[in-house]
Amino acid sequence: MKRFTTSLLLASILSIPGFARAADIDWGKVDAAFGKTAAVSGGVHRYGLPRSDLKVTLEGVTIKPALALGGWVAFAPMHGEAMLMGDLVLLETEITPVMTKLLDAGLDVTALHNHILRATPATFYMHVGGHGDPAKMAEIIHAALSTSSKTPFDPPPASPAPQAPIELDTGKLDEALGVKGVANGGVYQFNVPRRDPITEEGMTVNAALGGANAINFQPTGGGKAAITGDFLVTGDEVNPLIRALRAGDIEVTAIHSHMLNENPRLFFIHFWANDDAQKLARNVRGALEKTAIAKN
């Protein structure tokens, strides 16, 4: 089987005759492989794979999938084929079977780590990458997850239920973070892009591919919220950021990479707190100011 590797050189791709243009990719076949329609942003086709089958709790908080269990796979068109990036949410017992099937089928695993601590059951996050026919890569991921984990592939309902109200003053959270958040599955989410572009194998890694700071707020009552997500920083920003987080009583839960060949080299800082939502938003913004974020 052809190896779908992120290390393919662009020159070799361009030298192969007969490649279709990116616009000629049959995205319907990719949708069919996952049993759902992608969310499309900036040409990137992203498929959500939330672990709605799991009941994960941490310090009395039942974690909603949109807070910290939101697996995903995204494809960016690249010279008639596609670059794959994704983040799969797995139980400990699912890690090795899923990894083995992905590797045997030619996909790459680019990271494996936790996001939060002390949760029951423990969950882990496997980042995957590849390059090739997006429909074939989608079939590989579907087969690996459906035979080695309980990841649901149910399509969204034909008439989605209205968003439940977020029991927080979201206007004040927007003001504190300096960006507009969006409600998703009972969680208020922020994406804060970095100032300078990120590239991998010559492709721009945008927010749909995981190239932005992600900050999530889940209401826990009385104006409080559980927060988690990840900051995206360069090496020299790691310690200024985590010092700012600790000064704001925000726990640092993981420091690691997600990609292998990105430029500039980046690290992802995961975090957790359950406290007054507006205070946390101000402290998160203070931490973000220690990094090169885009300014409005």
Side-chain angles (χ1 to χ4, degrees), residues 117-130:
L117 304 173
R118 304 179 304 281
T120 304
T123 52
F124 298 84
Y125 304 80
M126 183 182 296
H127 290 264
V128 297

Side-chain angles (χ1 to χ4, degrees), residues 14-15 37 47 60 67 69 76-77 79 94 100 110 123 129 150 182 197 223 237 246 252 280:
L14 292 170
S15 68
T37 302
Y47 299 83
L67 181 68
L69 303 173
H79 303 289
E94 298 170 345
T100 300
T110 62
T123 52
K150 295 183 179 179
V182 296
E237 295 170 340
R246 293 304 303 126
V252 176
L280 291 176

Side-chain angles (χ1 to χ4, degrees), residues 227 231 242 244-252 271-273 279-280 283-284 287:
I227 64 167
F231 295 92
I242 65 176
L245 292 174
R246 293 304 303 126
D249 291 327
I250 298 172
E251 181 181 23
V252 176
F271 58 95
W272 170 265
K279 181 185 81 170
L280 291 176
N283 291 345
V284 165

Side-chain angles (χ1 to χ4, degrees), residues 132-185:
D133 181 333
K136 290 181 179 178
M137 292 190 288
E139 290 169 0
I140 291 168
I141 291 170
H142 187 282
L145 291 177
S146 60
T147 60
S148 300
S149 80
K150 295 183 179 179
T151 301
F153 283 88
D154 300 330
S159 299
Q163 286 281 348
I166 302 293
E167 295 179 352
L168 297 169
D169 189 334
T170 56
K172 289 187 177 178
L173 296 183
D174 293 344
E175 182 180 357
L177 268 296
V179 294
K180 175 68 176 174
V182 296
N184 177 26

